[in-house]
Amino acid sequence: MVNGFQLLLVLIPLFGSFSQSQCFIEDGYKRYNDYSVLRFIPTNVEQLKFLYDLAHNETFLMERGVDFWTAPGNLNASVDVMLSPEARSSLAPLFKSNLLNPSVMIDDVQRRIDAENEIKGRQSFPFPFGLRGSRPNTKLFFNTYQRYDTIMAMLDDMAKSNDKLRLSVEVIGKSFEGRDLKIIKISNGASNGKRKIWIDAGLHAREWIGPSTAMYFINKLVTSAGKDEAVDQILNKYDIVILPLANPDGYEYTHTTNRMWRKTRSQTNSRWGYICRGTDPNRNWSYKWGTGGSSSNACSDIFAGPKPFSEPETKAMSQYILKNGPWDMYISFHSYSQLILLPWGWTTDLPEHYNEMYRVAEKAATNLKSLYGTTFTVGSATNLLYVASGGSDDWAYGEAGIKYSYTFELRDTGDHGFVLPEEFIKPTGEETFLAFKTMCDEIYQTS
Ligand SMILES: [Zn+2]
């Protein structure tokens, strides 16, 4: 078997400048013409090692325009990789010599992005609610992926739209570029000292279905309270705090400049003297920070940051969560892969409450499936995916002491990946809300 890593080391000097690097795309709009997404399924250790070495050869990835949409972890688990046309042809011999026969998931990423932009152009406008202060027009809102301004305005409108509920918005901090980290607190005011649930979304910028799903939750809770028994049952038990846009800088950047941006937009000097933007905000939390599955290279997509909570976004979130606890449940929305992930992410060991967390998540996944047949797999992050330290769910469980701590990897399983078409916004919201309702019922009974 050819040692892929050694071959790669030989190949690297043959390649040219850093022209493909995301780090250096600062002006204009990054295009992904003829970029493809290939799916690999490593069936032996050599193949897995080849993919692992490639995924960790950060300089190579940057130079050649290679982006692991899902990272290698376990044997027989799929690994989706976006490749520039040049990278695809130059790596083809290595794939072949490692007996890897990838299937093509997406043959032209830019074409998918163009289709998305076309719908966005038709559907979004600065004030989707008509006159300011009028009833939020949620019908239009969920037709497309909305921008930061619209989401912030929608939160404000939502907070005023149901006077039977106790609703308030609060800015818990500012992003690196000064955008609001805005939460909405949803309570039916039934009693003081009610138990609480935290939900956040959009830590990873390009995972647009996360913020959409969080907004779907907010809309559902606010507009259906008093009319929908399922919603009332949730709000009779819990007060819910939702941060729908945890990384607004990155999110806006994916709309204006680079659809595939993942990180925050902070600046760190790299070890080579140039500046790379962004930290992975799901590798930046303090619990077991930097102990594996993250990078100390500022240009890496899984850069853990120069120190724990170096990012104003994760810092503000963690401070709010610690100050306003206790919480019964922590949920973070990501995409994609259709998984409900449990701690730990930093080790293959299982946490003390794993079996109970698993039981609840399995029940949620079963009910989720009953709506549209969407299958979610449940398990610990490390055992289903790979080691990744500094994640928010590990921190929520290990540091903040939240017994039920979950990360949802929402739709799909790779047909569209991060560029999930708009028509999936509503069904994803509906089915995920059903899972959430199940979780609320289950944990209320047992805690
Ligand atoms: Zn993510």
Side-chain angles (χ1 to χ4, degrees), residues 149-289:
D149 282 339
T150 307
I151 292 172
M152 294 302 111
M154 182 59 116
L155 286 174
D156 293 338
D157 278 18
M158 278 287 168
K160 289 179 248 152
S161 68
N162 187 340
D163 48 22
K164 290 195 183 71
L165 294 177
R166 216 182 280 167
L167 301 166
S168 60
V169 291
E170 183 182 336
V171 176
I172 62 166
K174 296 277 187 182
S175 68
F176 177 80
E177 292 175 345
R179 293 187 178 86
D180 287 346
L181 301 168
K182 192 180 276 189
I183 57 168
I184 184 163
K185 295 187 265 186
I186 303 170
S187 169
N188 68 1
S191 69
N192 286 324
K194 231 188 304 165
R195 285 143 66 172
K196 285 188 288 189
I197 291 169
W198 168 277
I199 299 172
D200 62 60
L203 272 174
H204 287 146
R206 62 190 174 187
E207 300 165 7
W208 287 3
I209 192 64
S212 285
T213 301
M215 291 305 289
Y216 182 92
F217 272 40
I218 294 165
N219 178 52
K220 177 83 178 166
L221 290 165
V222 170
T223 61
S224 299
K227 299 175 208 156
D228 182 331
E229 206 184 325
V231 168
D232 289 337
Q233 282 171 3
I234 294 172
L235 291 176
N236 284 336
K237 293 169 187 150
Y238 290 106
D239 289 348
I240 296 163
V241 177
I242 303 180
L243 172 67
L245 217 44
N247 174 13
D249 296 349
Y251 185 75
E252 278 299 279
Y253 194 70
T254 59
H255 281 270
T256 60
T257 310
N258 182 351
R259 178 66 182 85
M260 291 308 147
W261 190 257
R262 167 182 165 95
K263 302 189 285 179
T264 62
R265 292 293 298 157
S266 59
Q267 299 188 26
T268 307
N269 291 320
S270 80
R271 66 173 78 126
W272 299 293
Y274 49 79
I275 292 171
C276 271
R277 301 291 293 260
T279 287
D280 184 338
N282 209 29
R283 300 289 187 279
N284 189 237
W285 298 66
S286 64
Y287 190 77
K288 303 290 178 185
W289 177 85

Side-chain angles (χ1 to χ4, degrees), residues 312-323:
E313 296 86 357
T314 54
K315 191 173 184 180
M317 289 167 72
S318 62
Q319 285 176 343
Y320 183 90
I321 290 170
L322 286 180
K323 207 172 140 199

Side-chain angles (χ1 to χ4, degrees), residues 11 35 59 78 81 93 121 131 136 145 153 158 170 191 201 227 257 306 321 325 393 402 406 415 427 433:
L11 280 169
Y35 277 58
T59 312
S78 63
V81 188
L131 295 170
Y145 295 103
M158 278 287 168
E170 183 182 336
S191 69
K227 299 175 208 156
T257 310
I321 290 170
D393 50 0
I402 306 173
Y406 298 105
D415 286 339
F433 192 80

